[in-house]
Amino acid sequence: PEVDAQCRISFLGSQGIKRKVRSLRHIFKRQGQTYGQGWPTFVLREEVLDGARGFLVDDVLTIRCDMTVFGVNETKFLPRESR
């Protein structure tokens, strides 16, 4: 089986403003070896820790991940305490 999915990762600043966003669409296959997907240079640690960049708000880093699975007619939401 294969799963066609899109993943969007967002680093959020104050008031939920998106500071950095990356998106990837990939067909995941169950058989064979799985290699990591992603962005090795998405954001540098130094950039996140630089207060002037707006990633850290009161020493809190907020990252949002939105997943879309294509070809599936079902929506699931995590309970509030899992977010």
Side-chain angles (χ1 to χ4, degrees):
E2 297 178 346
V3 175
D4 183 6
Q6 178 175 325
C7 174
R8 181 179 311 135
I9 304 289
S10 306
F11 278 58
L12 305 179
S14 64
Q15 300 173 348
I17 297 170
K18 293 179 182 175
R19 306 294 301 171
K20 195 136 190 168
V21 179
R22 291 287 187 271
S23 185
L24 169 75
R25 185 166 176 176
H26 183 74
I27 296 177
F28 295 90
K29 299 179 181 183
R30 186 177 185 141
Q31 297 177 351
Q33 284 188 315
T34 302
Y35 296 97
Q37 299 295 319
W39 309 272
T41 58
F42 177 57
V43 65
L44 298 175
R45 182 177 188 268
E46 294 78 18
E47 188 177 351
V48 171
L49 296 177
D50 181 357
R53 301 280 187 143
F55 286 104
L56 288 175
V57 179
D58 297 326
D59 289 329
V60 174
L61 175 65
T62 303
I63 302 172
R64 177 178 173 156
C65 176
D66 294 297
M67 294 289 298
T68 303
V69 178
F70 299 94
V72 176
N73 293 323
E74 182 177 342
T75 302
K76 292 185 180 181
F77 294 95
L78 294 176
R80 183 74 181 148
E81 59 273 2
S82 297
R83 295 182 187 175

